[in-house]
Amino acid sequence: MFTMQPAPDYNWENEKKPAPAPKRAVHNERQILIIGQQENSLHRIKYMLEAASFGVTIKKSLSEGLSTLNFGRFDLIITEHASGGIDGKALLQNVKSRANTRVIILAVHQNEKEILSLYNHKADEVIKMPFGESEFMQRVRQLMPKRK
């Protein structure tokens, strides 16, 4: 019976060592948190932002979004106003009391009085839906903090 012999220069010690853990990717891109329930609109926004090299996280409820804020740093938050239990004013009060994060509120069917109220609650920008891609991306870029 024939048995294979290892090559004399083969180092069997390497076989016993576990493989090194993969290195974590370093994210130098700016991070954006999107909170909302209109999946088609939010995924369109996510696609536009990722195409512009932004890191994007989507959460479907205000509580999930606020929880995510406790564990990560975001340069910008984009949220719907008064959609499916999401209250833009509650988010603004919470975010602005603890961070210097910019906030864009997406407004559907809001009147002028309601939009002014959002600005009074320290919204950095209110964008009426539907909106154009170029306009939206310009407003996002203007709100992003300058890199040092």
Side-chain angles (χ1 to χ4, degrees), residues 108-120:
V108 182
H109 308 299
Q110 265 65 47
N111 60 33
E112 184 177 355
K113 183 179 177 183
E114 185 65 23
I115 290 173
L116 290 174
S117 175
L118 291 168
Y119 281 117
N120 289 335

Side-chain angles (χ1 to χ4, degrees), residues 49-61:
L49 294 170
E50 287 177 341
S53 299
F54 293 109
V56 180
T57 301
I58 293 181
K59 294 298 174 183
K60 293 185 179 189
S61 73

